[in-house]
Amino acid sequence: MIQEIPEPEPVDESGAESHALLHRAMELIKPEFEERTWKAFWRTTVDGLSAADAGAEVGLAANAVYQSKFRVLRRLRQEMAGLLDC
């Protein structure tokens, strides 16, 4: 029995556009946060560090790192929603 090979999906150029919007949103909100709050967010979300390791770097308890990450992500979602509405 011959298996059909599915056609490749078309390249989604909106992915690059979404990526650019995400970077723009991050640029806009970054000044709203203390440096160590932003670094805790970045090190856990982007770099994949544990909350304990990121906290040790920036001088925060692991629980405070989780709170920092939550606040930044909440604000980032708000900003992205605003940019997408435009």
Side-chain angles (χ1 to χ4, degrees):
M1 186 162 159
I2 299 174
Q3 283 187 312
E4 287 187 29
I5 301 173
E7 291 290 320
E9 293 187 29
V11 175
D12 182 11
E13 291 184 20
S14 68
E17 191 174 307
S18 295
H19 190 73
L21 280 174
L22 177 61
H23 279 279
R24 178 69 182 137
M26 286 192 290
E27 288 174 11
L28 290 170
I29 69 166
K30 186 177 179 180
E32 299 175 20
F33 297 95
E34 292 182 17
E35 183 178 339
R36 69 183 187 163
T37 299
W38 186 264
K39 189 170 183 179
F41 153 75
W42 191 268
R43 296 292 281 150
T44 55
T45 306
V46 177
D47 296 334
L49 256 59
S50 69
D53 289 342
E57 279 187 13
V58 299
L60 293 172
N63 194 40
V65 171
Y66 288 121
Q67 291 173 344
S68 295
K69 180 179 175 180
F70 174 81
R71 285 193 306 269
V72 173
L73 286 173
R74 179 181 59 202
R75 181 65 185 96
L76 186 57
R77 285 184 196 104
Q78 291 170 344
E79 191 65 34
M80 286 294 293
L83 288 174
L84 292 172
D85 285 343
C86 294

